[in-house]
Amino acid sequence: MTSKQCELSFEREALEPYMSRETLLYHYDKHHKGYADKLETLIKGTEYENLDLESIIEVARQNGDIDVLNNAAQTWNHNFFWRSLSPNGGKPDGAIRDLVEKQFNSVDDFKNAFRKAATGLFGSGWVWLVIENGELRIITSVNAETPLGTDQTPLLTLDVWEHAYYVDYRNRRAAFADAFLDNLVNWKFAAANLEMLRSQQAA
């Protein structure tokens, strides 16, 4: 059985100084791997064993299998988070920039709204840029909740569990959100997700 944990597309130190190698070693190699390993243990010999990650989440929701759902969703959320990061991130262009400016008036206004969502979320969770009915929205989810499988299509996400930022930023979640928004957002990934959705809708 292959792991449900994605491979990183960059080296552990590639996001420095905004996200340290130490953070990646804890966050990716321990926290994320822990969810993926627990999931593999939970699904071994069950109806989920040969399903892809998205299908596991869908079926576990239907079955009310909370342990499977939580570990599958956290594995998927983290996979999506790593793809939302880029060493050369921070500035959208093309269709995704046009949509951001249409919805939020400007990229700076988008950043302000996203930062507010990140700092306003109580406890552990995620901040998402999603598209729903053709419009961009910023939403939050707690713990292992995910917009996957809903009417909201995720374009990018920021992990705001403390393990995502405490090594580098201690309790300064706002500084972590700023570092993400100004330097690390993989807008090419967001644009690709938008294009995929539009292609599916046009088919």
Side-chain angles (χ1 to χ4, degrees):
M1 185 189 307
T2 58
S3 174
K4 306 297 185 185
Q5 183 182 24
C6 71
E7 295 291 333
L8 293 178
S9 63
F10 44 79
E11 299 299 324
R12 302 293 191 277
E13 62 275 6
L15 304 180
E16 292 181 341
Y18 311 108
M19 190 178 294
S20 67
R21 174 182 173 82
E22 183 180 4
T23 287
L24 268 291
L25 291 174
Y26 277 103
H27 194 176
Y28 177 80
D29 292 303
K30 295 186 183 295
H31 286 281
H32 186 187
K33 186 176 185 299
Y35 293 121
D37 288 350
K38 179 67 177 297
L39 177 63
E40 298 294 346
T41 298
L42 289 170
I43 67 175
K44 186 176 182 179
T46 73
E47 64 180 303
Y48 304 105
E49 185 169 13
N50 296 313
L51 299 180
D52 61 30
L53 194 50
E54 291 79 3
S55 298
I56 292 173
I57 292 170
E58 180 183 359
V59 176
R61 272 185 180 142
Q62 295 170 355
N63 292 346
D65 287 342
I66 300 303
D67 283 349
V68 171
L69 177 59
N70 282 341
N71 284 277
Q74 277 293 81
T75 301
W76 190 91
N77 286 355
H78 278 89
N79 287 347
F80 200 84
F81 172 59
W82 301 123
R83 292 168 180 143
S84 296
L85 302 176
S86 171
N88 302 305
K91 294 183 179 180
D93 58 14
I96 189 70
R97 181 185 178 95
D98 293 342
L99 196 55
V100 166
E101 291 178 339
K102 177 182 178 181
Q103 199 72 51
F104 297 97
N105 298 317
S106 70
V107 174
D108 284 342
D109 286 343
F110 159 75
K111 289 181 179 181
N112 290 336
F114 197 96
R115 182 187 304 108
K116 183 177 180 180
T119 56
L121 178 62
F122 183 80
S124 299
W126 303 82
V127 187
W128 305 84
L129 178 64
V130 303
I131 187 164
E132 182 178 16
N133 297 323
E135 295 188 350
L136 293 180
R137 292 184 59 199
I138 295 169
I139 65 168
T140 59
S141 64
V142 297
N143 299 324
E145 290 179 0
T146 177
L148 181 69
T150 72
D151 292 334
Q152 299 167 333
T153 300
L155 301 182
L156 59 85
T157 193
L158 176 64
D159 185 346
V160 290
W161 284 61
E162 284 190 344
H163 64 243
Y165 59 88
Y166 210 82
V167 169
D168 299 322
Y169 298 92
R170 296 298 186 260
N171 64 335
R172 296 180 298 120
R173 186 186 285 183
F176 174 61
D178 284 338
F180 171 73
L181 291 164
D182 292 340
N183 303 284
L184 297 177
V185 178
N186 186 354
W187 285 107
K188 291 183 179 179
F189 177 64
N193 290 324
L194 175 62
E195 180 61 29
M196 184 182 301
L197 175 63
R198 288 177 168 175
S199 296
Q200 291 170 349
Q201 292 173 335

